[in-house]
Amino acid sequence: MLHARCNGTFLYRWLPWLLGHNGFSRGAKIKAIKSVQTLYDRKKQKFHREAFETSTDPIIQSQMYTPEALKTMNLSRLCHYLVSFGLQTPELMDRYAARAEELAASLDSEQFALILNAMGRVSHRHDGMLQSFSKRMLPKLPLFIPRDLARVCLAYAKLQERDEVLFRRLALEMPHKLPLFDGRDLQMVARAFAKLLIRDDLLFDDIADEVIRRPQDLDHASLLVIASAFARFNIRTQRLWPVLGEWLLQSHLDFSAQDVGAVFNAFSTVDFEHKELFQTLLLSLSQEPLLSEASPSTLCLTFNA
């Protein structure tokens, strides 16, 4: 075990020697590998695109500040716009949440998801709204599409609302819909369950199957979130970790120093060794720009792994 300070001087001095004794020459260079990350498709993000590419209409802006007068569709839409434009205040978000609580019985799946997503983005918690939403969403879960299910899960995680009854029902509802989830939705669900420490082995097994079946649908950030979520529960699905290792290796040029530390932490937690991935990440961490980015905690995490 290395007993030394984890800082830049230590890394410059010892990392090339360590790599040289693990199959790399001291003068080795990283081979560029094309990223598997897909471009952000703005056309699919209707509300996001409109919020950032248009200015607020005076009439719409006036409606934003009177949530008590809004009906279900406008309430969810304007709540989303409010956060997107950065116009939210704690008092105004409380009024939106109170109005959403009143209208919870008549909200549809997309409206639930939009309001929760907006509240989660600004970490605004309203206990009355969350309790009402949990009760009203349960019988409507079969009508939720994949994106809405993922948004609900992640919003509850951001708001630290550990509603185990709701999440058990979500875990029962999602498996047959998982083939329709895109890569980002899959990681949102895994991240939410891991953050709230609600373990469901059957759901995670189905998520693993989807990742194995179509790893090309996940960018490097989604792959890393999936790996970290499985590691959080120490789920050692043997067929999953080799796939994660191979696809993380292909996208290693997209990694930040913190990402490198997270990869080592996840793989060491489940005792899975992917030598080529580890050696490549160590070499990249010893060179710029990652070397300058690496914090002492990241370096300690990497070497402890």
Side-chain angles (χ1 to χ4, degrees), residues 34 44 82 260 273 286:
K34 185 177 181 180
K44 294 182 179 179
L82 188 74
V260 172
E273 182 179 1
S286 70

Side-chain angles (χ1 to χ4, degrees), residues 7 25 52 98 157 164 265:
N7 54 28
S25 66
F52 282 97
E164 194 160 354
N265 183 59

Side-chain angles (χ1 to χ4, degrees), residues 11 15 19 24 28-31 248-249 251-261 263-264 276-294 299 302:
L11 193 63
L15 188 55
L19 293 171
F24 274 76
K29 295 183 178 180
I30 299 174
K31 181 181 179 182
L248 285 169
L249 177 62
S251 57
H252 78 274
L253 293 180
D254 296 322
F255 286 5
S256 66
Q258 187 176 2
D259 292 338
V260 172
V263 170
F264 276 100
E276 188 178 0
L277 174 63
F278 290 0
Q279 291 172 341
T280 301
L281 293 183
L282 281 173
L283 186 58
S284 66
L285 193 61
S286 70
Q287 300 176 352
E288 296 295 348
L290 297 193
L291 184 57
S292 299
E293 297 176 5
L299 298 176
T302 299

Side-chain angles (χ1 to χ4, degrees), residues 123-141:
S123 300
H124 186 87
R125 182 185 172 91
H126 187 283
D127 290 338
M129 186 199 74
L130 290 173
Q131 292 171 8
S132 180
F133 274 25
S134 295
K135 176 183 176 181
R136 297 296 183 178
M137 283 192 295
L138 282 173
K140 298 181 180 181
L141 287 181

Side-chain angles (χ1 to χ4, degrees), residues 25-97:
S25 66
R26 298 181 65 162
K29 295 183 178 180
I30 299 174
K31 181 181 179 182
I33 301 175
K34 185 177 181 180
S35 170
V36 298
Q37 186 172 357
T38 55
L39 293 175
Y40 176 68
D41 188 351
R42 297 180 67 84
K43 292 182 179 179
K44 294 182 179 179
Q45 306 295 331
K46 180 179 178 182
F47 289 107
H48 183 88
R49 188 179 74 254
E50 291 179 357
F52 282 97
E53 294 183 358
T54 62
S55 58
T56 50
D57 182 273
I59 296 178
I60 293 178
Q61 192 166 5
S62 66
Q63 292 176 342
M64 283 183 179
Y65 292 99
T66 55
E68 295 80 7
L70 298 176
K71 300 300 183 182
T72 55
M73 184 176 70
N74 281 341
L75 181 73
S76 59
R77 181 170 59 91
L78 293 179
C79 184
H80 184 89
Y81 280 158
L82 188 74
V83 172
S84 296
F85 283 118
L87 301 175
Q88 77 281 353
T89 64
E91 184 271 337
L92 186 55
M93 295 304 288
D94 263 337
R95 290 165 58 197
Y96 267 91

